[in-house]
Amino acid sequence: MRATTKIAALSAASALALTLSACGNDDTESTIDDAQTTAGDTMSEATDTMGDMMGGGDGVTTVDDVFGSACDAIPQDSADQGSLDGMVDDPVATAASNNPLLSTLATAVTEADLVDTLNDTDAEYTVFAPYNPAFEALGQETLDAVLADQEQLTDILTYHVVGERLDRDGILDGGTLDTVQGGTLEVTGSGDDIQVNGATVLCGNIPTANATVFVIDTVMMPE
């Protein structure tokens, strides 16, 4: 009888020990899982913060991010206001006016009375900027007529402007972009080979004080 009682007591003690051990393992695993989750969240936050510090995710670029075959045509002397280094600190209308590739565009912006709007440093833009030969391709008669019609000119120019700042990845991400004019642009391609409504990006990711600029080879016409 005593032996039976002792065996029963030992069995109960063993069962209790196993139960406590199992509970301890669950608590330990839960603690490890919580720690891993916290560490993962912290790493993700750190990555996001680092990305923001490096300009990733906000459309802000640096001269090191610029790409495209026509970038070599931009003045290389960093002291030149029309160079990439010179454009960085100027708002986009001023930056375009200093760039020899964009002198006709700068004239058009002035004629449309959009200088102050585009130079607003409280706003951010993505600008698809036709270079001079793109305007020349319209023909002098057509170009003169467009420059003389402020309403039509404003419609055309604002069709080249997106009301948020995007880099190359940003414009490729959605495939379509809403313009300030109200129409949409279709972006296709990848890497350094990008088209916007069929216009080829000749030099992209150009940084200015309030915009990221993509020089294109065609004046895009809104419907």
Side-chain angles (χ1 to χ4, degrees), residues 4-222:
T4 302
T5 301
K6 288 181 179 180
I7 291 172
L10 288 171
S11 298
S14 297
L16 178 60
L18 288 172
T19 300
L20 291 173
S21 176
C23 290
N25 287 338
D26 289 343
D27 290 342
T28 301
E29 290 174 1
S30 177
T31 301
I32 291 173
D33 289 342
D34 290 344
Q36 289 175 337
T37 299
T38 301
D41 291 342
T42 302
M43 181 63 73
S44 178
E45 291 173 2
T47 301
D48 291 342
T49 301
M50 183 62 72
D52 290 340
M53 291 173 62
M54 296 177 67
D58 57 6
V60 178
T61 59
T62 71
V63 294
D64 292 330
D65 300 317
V66 173
F67 69 93
S69 59
C71 295
D72 289 342
I74 296 174
Q76 301 299 303
D77 185 354
S78 60
D80 191 320
Q81 285 297 101
S83 68
L84 293 175
D85 288 320
M87 294 175 70
V88 169
D89 296 326
D90 290 328
V92 65
T94 300
S97 70
N98 290 327
N99 189 313
L101 290 178
L102 305 176
S103 58
T104 305
L105 174 62
T107 298
V109 168
T110 300
E111 292 297 324
D113 197 23
L114 290 173
V115 172
D116 290 342
T117 299
L118 293 176
N119 273 351
D120 183 1
T121 53
D122 290 329
E124 292 190 331
Y125 302 109
T126 302
V127 177
F128 297 98
Y131 74 155
N132 291 342
F135 284 98
E136 293 167 4
L138 296 177
Q140 193 61 49
E141 184 176 349
T142 299
L143 178 58
D144 289 342
V146 169
L147 290 174
D149 185 339
Q150 190 179 67
E151 183 177 354
Q152 183 185 17
L153 183 59
T154 299
D155 201 43
I156 292 171
L157 293 178
T158 53
Y159 187 60
H160 291 72
V161 180
V162 175
E164 60 179 318
R165 191 163 183 161
L166 301 169
D167 58 13
R168 170 171 50 187
D169 291 340
I171 66 170
L172 285 169
D173 187 45
T176 58
L177 303 171
D178 295 326
T179 69
V180 172
Q181 181 266 349
T184 59
L185 302 174
E186 181 180 2
V187 183
T188 57
S190 61
D192 292 353
D193 182 18
I194 299 174
Q195 292 77 42
V196 183
N197 276 21
T200 297
V201 173
L202 302 174
C203 185
N205 273 356
I206 300 173
T208 72
N210 66 335
T212 300
V213 177
F214 295 81
V215 177
I216 58 176
D217 69 349
T218 306
V219 177
M220 301 182 294
M221 296 295 181

